[in-house]
Amino acid sequence: MARQASSWILLLVLMNTPVGNGQSVEMDPEISGFVGSTVELSCRFLNSKNPVKISQVTWQKFFNGTKQNVAIANPALGVSLLPAFKDRVTFKHLSMSQTDSSLEDTTIVLSNLRLSDEAAYICEYTTFPAGNRENMVNLTVYARPTTHMTLTTPIIIARAQKHKMTVATCLSANGKPPSVIKWDTKLKGQATFQETRNPNGTVTIRSNYEIVPSRESHRQKLTCIVTYNSEHFSDSVILNVQYEPEVKIEGFDGNWYLDRQDVKLTCEADANPAVTGYHWKLSNGSLPKNVEIRNNTLLFKGPVTYDFSGTYICDATNSIGTRSGLVEVNVTEFPNHVIHRVDNGQEQPISSAAIWGGVVSGVVVLIIGVVLLIYFLRRRQRTFKGDYSTKKHVYGNGYSKAGSVPAHPTVPKNLQYPDDSDDEKKATQISGPGAFEGTERDFDGNSEDLKRPYFTVDEGESHDYDERTLAFQYEPESEIADDMVSQTDGSVISKKEWYV
Ligand SMILES: *[C@@H]1O[C@H](CO)[C@@H](O)[C@H](O)[C@H]1NC(C)=O
Ligand SMILES: *[C@@H]1O[C@H](CO)[C@@H](O)[C@H](O)[C@H]1NC(C)=O
Ligand SMILES: *[C@@H]1O[C@H](CO)[C@@H](O)[C@H](O)[C@H]1NC(C)=O
Ligand SMILES: *[C@@H]1O[C@H](CO)[C@@H](O)[C@H](O)[C@H]1NC(C)=O
Ligand SMILES: *[C@@H]1O[C@H](CO)[C@@H](O)[C@H](O)[C@H]1NC(C)=O
Ligand SMILES: *[C@@H]1O[C@H](CO)[C@@H](O)[C@H](O)[C@H]1NC(C)=O
């Protein structure tokens, strides 16, 4: 039961229909309109019981605690509109003259809405015998703001002393309810907001956008977005920022060598407004005789000479100011090929190609060496007679000096003679650790080779090429001389061993 009752109350509240012994007055829960528009304030008498007599209907405006009559309808006397509302209020279903018409629906139409119309409106039925029945509607009046953005000055000047300035103002005037202003831009800056409440209930929002004007802010877009009642308005400006020239000198590639032709320097300036004049000078002395100044370009006539060296300065001037760029030119005797080459504006080490070429040719040489080694090994296996006492030549692998092509086929590393031969022991000791230290700098870091810097081979086989090989072997003459004795046939024996 309680639940049913509460449902009823809820329904009645929703319909804004106060209950009174079966008679009620039905109105809209609320109504709103913009300034200048027309609204209908509906009012209907509902009667579910015995017929009652409607004696009079009175519309009242209720504002700031006071009630003011708006319109009265009487079944016998007709309709009366109070002077303040005479021009703008009409009964929707009743005419001024008509009497005896039904007063069941006393909806009024309010045109040309004003902000001052915002109030609560009461529709009151005077009946017999039931007494008074009334209801109320709140009328809200909205005012659409006028919105616009203005640039503070058409031209903004970026000064050297960087201070903040307002560049644009976004205004949303006399809105009700108030609008919200936001800024959309890539510019770095701050927005300030100011809110003014007008006596008529509207609100004016003003927002300034402040930046420190700079070269970077030129041509930037600044957009103001005003949100009013979930509607969005936006307005954009493109900034025109004037700044003094930003100067750099192009044309010197660090490679001005004697007799080079057609060199020039160009003064590149970024400026707003455009540069009106360029002035070239040399920091120490006067410009070389054979240069021609053509607007922002310095053309050097004839081949490069040492006279071209110096610090060149270009002054570029526009209406905002003058700024300089400078380049230090030095002239070299020869082209500067090794370090850098300018390629598509990017510097690339030229040496990388050379390195790769070197690597490739090194690999080719290595392959040839391996092939020859295999060939040599096969041949040797066929011809070796196994006479270990034959006099042996000793040669290190000095031939493997970096970058040099082996002068003869590589000897197999594993071709060690068995330890049972005295000669072999000597040979091993001769070239033991320390004996050839001086030659280490010639090795290209191959530790395998360092450990075994020599090979012994059959005399007959090595005959053809051992002389050349040994030339490398004995390079560090002085070091060998201390404890080595050269044999006439080119082999080496340690002095120690020799004298034992
Ligand atoms: C509301 O009423 C008070 C006093 O009753 C008055 O001082 C005030 O000005 C009124 N406000 C408006 C907006 O009429
Ligand atoms: C109408 O406005 C008055 C104050 O202006 C408020 O107290 C009341 O709740 C409002 N009624 C409705 C139905 O919004
Ligand atoms: C509200 O007041 C402001 C300033 O007093 C005025 O400019 C504006 O037109 C007024 N708005 C309306 C809708 O009367
Ligand atoms: C210019 O160069 C000359 C010679 O190098 C030097 O003696 C002189 O001091 C320089 N003058 C200036 C202003 O740099
Ligand atoms: C120099 O600049 C002016 C204007 O910018 C142009 O009319 C003239 O042709 C230029 N002169 C040369 C030699 O480039
Ligand atoms: C020439 O100038 C460049 C930089 O401008 C500098 O790196 C270079 O060392 C200079 N060479 C000589 C020979 O002064």
Side-chain angles (χ1 to χ4, degrees):
M1 272 305 283
R3 192 169 167 162
Q4 240 179 354
S6 66
S7 307
W8 261 109
I9 289 164
L10 183 66
L11 182 67
L12 290 169
V13 165
L14 281 174
M15 292 180 70
N16 206 20
T17 313
V19 184
N21 300 328
Q23 292 89 31
S24 64
V25 176
E26 187 194 60
M27 296 179 85
D28 289 323
E30 60 187 326
I31 195 103
S32 65
F34 281 94
V35 168
S37 69
T38 296
V39 291
E40 274 183 28
L41 307 179
S42 69
C43 184
R44 291 200 300 140
F45 186 75
L46 302 181
N47 184 16
S48 58
K49 281 209 169 166
N50 302 327
V52 294
K53 177 149 176 60
I54 298 172
S55 329
Q56 188 160 293
V57 178
T58 307
W59 273 96
Q60 290 179 304
K61 179 182 176 181
F62 179 61
F63 179 71
N64 197 18
T66 58
K67 287 180 184 172
Q68 177 187 10
N69 285 340
V70 174
I72 298 159
N74 187 293
L77 303 171
V79 166
S80 162
L81 295 172
L82 277 296
F85 300 94
K86 204 175 162 89
D87 299 338
R88 301 189 294 126
V89 172
T90 56
F91 278 97
K92 194 178 180 185
H93 301 291
L94 307 176
S95 70
M96 293 295 286
S97 53
Q98 202 178 352
T99 55
D100 280 335
S101 57
S102 164
L103 296 180
E104 304 278 301
D105 188 335
T106 52
T107 297
I108 56 171
V109 177
L110 177 56
S111 62
N112 196 14
L113 216 53
R114 298 171 185 169
L115 284 167
S116 55
D117 292 334
E118 182 163 304
Y121 288 84
I122 298 163
C123 180
E124 183 190 62
Y125 275 78
T126 307
T127 67
F128 187 87
N132 287 357
R133 300 285 181 273
E134 67 172 42
N135 204 345
M136 190 169 82
V137 65
N138 284 349
L139 171 64
T140 306
V141 181
Y142 296 133
R144 200 178 289 282
T146 53
T147 291
H148 65 111
M149 172 158 66
T150 48
L151 276 170
T152 310
T153 56
I155 293 165
I156 301 152
I157 296 173
R159 301 280 181 202
Q161 58 274 31
K162 301 187 178 300
H163 57 251
K164 263 198 312 191
M165 66 176 282
T166 295
V167 291
T169 298
C170 194
L171 188 73
S172 178
N174 308 323
K176 187 170 170 289
S179 355
V180 173
I181 293 179
K182 279 185 184 164
W183 294 91
D184 182 26
T185 182
K186 289 189 183 109
L187 282 164
K188 283 192 172 62
Q190 285 122 34
T192 61
F193 298 92
Q194 185 196 341
E195 192 176 302
T196 312
R197 295 196 165 268
N198 299 314
N200 58 19
T202 59
V203 178
T204 295
I205 312 276
R206 181 188 301 270
S207 179
N208 291 336
Y209 202 82
E210 295 177 334
I211 64 164
V212 175
S214 67
R215 194 161 70 98
E216 290 70 33
S217 49
H218 181 48
R219 293 213 180 93
Q220 288 288 329
K221 190 177 178 185
L222 184 56
T223 302
C224 162
I225 302 163
V226 176
T227 304
Y228 171 76
N229 261 0
S230 78
E231 291 172 63
H232 303 285
F233 308 91
S234 71
D235 202 354
S236 298
V237 288
I238 307 283
L239 298 189
N240 182 359
V241 180
Q242 296 195 338
Y243 48 93
E244 55 186 16
E246 182 85 8
V247 188
K248 70 177 181 231
I249 298 175
E250 309 216 311
F252 180 62
D253 56 3
N255 190 22
W256 283 21
Y257 49 89
L258 289 182
D259 293 336
R260 187 176 163 179
Q261 299 286 337
D262 297 329
V263 293
K264 63 179 179 183
L265 295 175
T266 306
C267 189
E268 299 289 357
D270 171 27
N272 182 37
V275 171
T276 50
Y278 293 95
H279 178 69
W280 285 95
K281 64 190 180 209
L282 207 54
S283 76
N284 183 9
S286 51
L287 291 172
K289 282 184 284 301
N290 43 349
V291 299
E292 186 191 319
I293 297 172
R294 212 178 276 169
N295 284 353
N296 64 335
T297 302
L298 205 55
L299 291 167
F300 293 78
K301 300 297 187 68
V304 171
T305 69
Y306 283 124
D307 288 347
F308 291 5
S309 297
T311 301
Y312 290 82
I313 296 170
C314 169
D315 295 333
T317 304
N318 70 357
S319 60
I320 308 301
T322 299
R323 289 265 299 268
S324 305
L326 65 81
V327 65
E328 210 172 306
V329 168
N330 52 25
V331 172
T332 53
E333 188 173 1
F334 300 110
N336 184 10
H337 285 315
V338 188
I339 302 164
H340 285 115
R341 163 179 70 179
V342 173
D343 206 357
N344 297 332
Q346 285 181 323
E347 286 189 338
Q348 271 186 347
I350 194 170
S351 52
S352 71
I355 289 168
W356 278 108
V359 167
V360 169
S361 57
V363 167
V364 168
V365 165
L366 193 70
I367 290 165
I368 291 168
V370 168
V371 168
L372 288 171
L373 172 92
I374 291 164
Y375 168 77
F376 180 82
L377 183 55
R378 289 258 169 88
R379 196 169 152 230
R380 205 193 170 288
Q381 277 172 342
R382 279 200 307 274
T383 56
F384 181 54
K385 300 284 193 312
D387 183 4
Y388 295 145
S389 62
T390 312
K391 189 101 182 261
K392 304 302 186 294
H393 288 284
V394 177
Y395 57 92
N397 54 356
Y399 55 75
S400 65
K401 273 179 174 179
S404 69
V405 177
H408 60 84
T410 310
V411 180
K413 289 171 181 177
N414 58 355
L415 205 63
Q416 297 281 358
Y417 285 83
D419 282 345
D420 59 356
S421 156
D422 281 358
D423 285 356
E424 287 314 305
K425 277 180 187 162
K426 281 179 188 170
T428 308
Q429 282 161 341
I430 286 162
S431 51
F436 283 84
E437 268 173 327
T439 62
E440 267 189 32
R441 63 196 146 99
D442 286 336
F443 298 154
D444 45 9
N446 189 329
S447 58
E448 194 76 4
D449 285 348
L450 286 172
K451 281 178 206 144
R452 287 182 286 150
Y454 72 96
F455 302 101
T456 53
V457 292
D458 184 278
E459 188 180 355
E461 300 239 24
S462 60
H463 194 266
D464 297 340
Y465 45 80
D466 57 4
E467 273 180 48
R468 257 187 303 174
T469 306
L470 288 167
F472 286 111
Q473 175 72 30
Y474 297 139
E475 234 170 29
E477 209 66 76
S478 58
E479 283 163 69
I480 293 165
D482 282 349
D483 43 8
M484 300 285 178
V485 172
S486 294
Q487 302 296 88
T488 48
D489 60 3
S491 61
V492 180
I493 294 173
S494 158
K495 269 186 196 169
K496 226 195 243 168
E497 294 290 295
W498 185 258
Y499 292 128
V500 163

